[in-house]
């Protein structure tokens, strides 16, 4: 799952939102460096990633990609599933997407010390409405291009958008089958943390 899904699954409190996002920027053991609620959000983020990576519906979705792109299919699925979540947001949340994303951007802006690259990314994320822009499938082209520039092998993601376009319907079905199970898992895990 990518940013939007992690934020949606992680809980509504500011510390939960921060922890949901920090999971992509904080590595290694959690040893009290962050407040307990943020560390619980980071732990939840990691559990969501592990559940997602090992789920049979994810394996089915990855197998839809051509053999030469299966190594990076998870990257494309993370982005595409955020697109599906943004596109179908009203099915998964009572809160309008714009209100949710505005709240997330406000929480990020109010945080004095964001970890790692997030301190540089957060202002651009808000200014360009990264989370809300996922509604538009064509935005994925820009996201993939940006990711490609940061990879040591820039051509690794070439052709991925065309794959996503060709697999749009079956991958949308995969998302619809998988996301409710992921929501249940995240709810159970939040109760335990």
């Amino acid at each position: 799952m990518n940013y939007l899904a992690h934020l949606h699954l992680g809980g509504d409190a500011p510390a939960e939102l921060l922890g949901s996002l920090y999971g992509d920027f904080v590595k290694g053991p959690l040893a009290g460096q962050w407040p307990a609620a943020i560390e619980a959000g980071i732990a939840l983020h990691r559990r969501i990633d592990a559940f997602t990576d090992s789920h049979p519906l994810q394996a089915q979705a990855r197998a839809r990609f051509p053999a030469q792109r299966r190594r990076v299919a998870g990257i494309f699925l993370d982005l595409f599933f955020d697109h599906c979540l943004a596109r179908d947001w009203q099915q998964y949340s009572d809160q309008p997407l714009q209100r949710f994303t505005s709240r997330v951007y406000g929480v990020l802006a109010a945080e004095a010390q964001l970890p790692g690259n997030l301190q540089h990314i957060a202002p651009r994320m808000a200014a360009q409405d990264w989370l809300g822009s996922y509604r538009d499938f064509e935005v994925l082209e820009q996201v993939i291009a940006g990711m490609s520039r940061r990879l040591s092998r820039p051509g690794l993601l070439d052709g991925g958008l065309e794959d996503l376009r060709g697999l749009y319907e079956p991958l949308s079905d995969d998302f619809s089958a998988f996301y409710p199970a992921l929501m249940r898992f995240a709810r159970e895990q939040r109760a335990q943390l």
Side-chain angles (χ1 to χ4, degrees):
M1 294 290 113
N2 207 35
Y3 298 143
L4 182 60
H6 275 293
L7 287 160
H8 178 246
L9 296 167
D12 290 327
E16 292 172 323
L17 292 170
L18 290 170
S20 296
L21 206 50
Y22 284 18
D24 278 330
F25 299 91
V26 173
K27 305 303 176 196
L30 299 174
Q33 177 183 1
W34 308 99
I38 289 178
E39 287 197 358
I42 296 168
L44 177 61
H45 180 115
R46 293 174 180 179
R47 290 179 185 185
I48 287 169
D49 282 349
F51 177 84
T52 298
D53 291 345
S54 65
H55 200 281
L57 286 171
Q58 282 292 106
Q60 172 184 299
R62 285 190 302 270
R64 295 185 189 282
F65 286 82
Q68 72 269 22
R69 254 185 291 290
R70 286 206 189 119
R71 251 185 56 217
V72 293
I75 294 170
F76 295 120
L77 285 176
D78 284 352
L79 299 175
F80 186 77
F81 281 7
D82 260 15
H83 161 67
C84 291
L85 178 57
R87 178 195 68 201
D88 302 334
W89 182 263
Q90 68 284 354
Q91 293 178 30
Y92 303 105
S93 178
D94 296 331
Q95 183 178 179
L97 179 59
Q98 184 176 359
R99 186 181 316 154
F100 177 79
T101 59
S102 293
R103 186 161 170 273
V104 168
Y105 300 144
V107 168
L108 287 171
E111 189 62 24
Q113 188 63 35
L114 297 171
N117 251 2
L118 184 55
Q119 63 187 326
H120 304 293
I121 291 172
R124 283 184 300 165
M125 182 185 284
Q128 298 168 7
D129 187 24
W130 287 8
L131 301 172
S133 71
Y134 276 107
R135 281 182 304 243
D136 179 8
F137 176 78
E138 297 307 321
V139 164
L140 299 185
E141 181 175 17
Q142 298 165 16
V143 176
I144 292 168
M147 292 173 81
S148 289
R149 285 191 295 273
R150 293 188 301 274
L151 295 174
S152 59
R153 292 180 47 208
L156 195 60
L157 302 180
D158 289 354
L161 185 68
E162 291 76 21
D163 289 341
L164 289 174
R165 190 173 278 116
L167 295 168
Y168 193 93
E169 290 306 321
L171 291 178
S172 289
D173 292 343
D174 292 340
F175 173 81
S176 296
F178 175 67
Y179 199 69
L182 183 59
M183 288 176 66
R184 283 189 299 277
F185 173 80
R187 206 170 21 252
E188 292 165 3
Q189 294 301 306
R190 268 198 329 268
Q192 291 177 16
L193 289 170

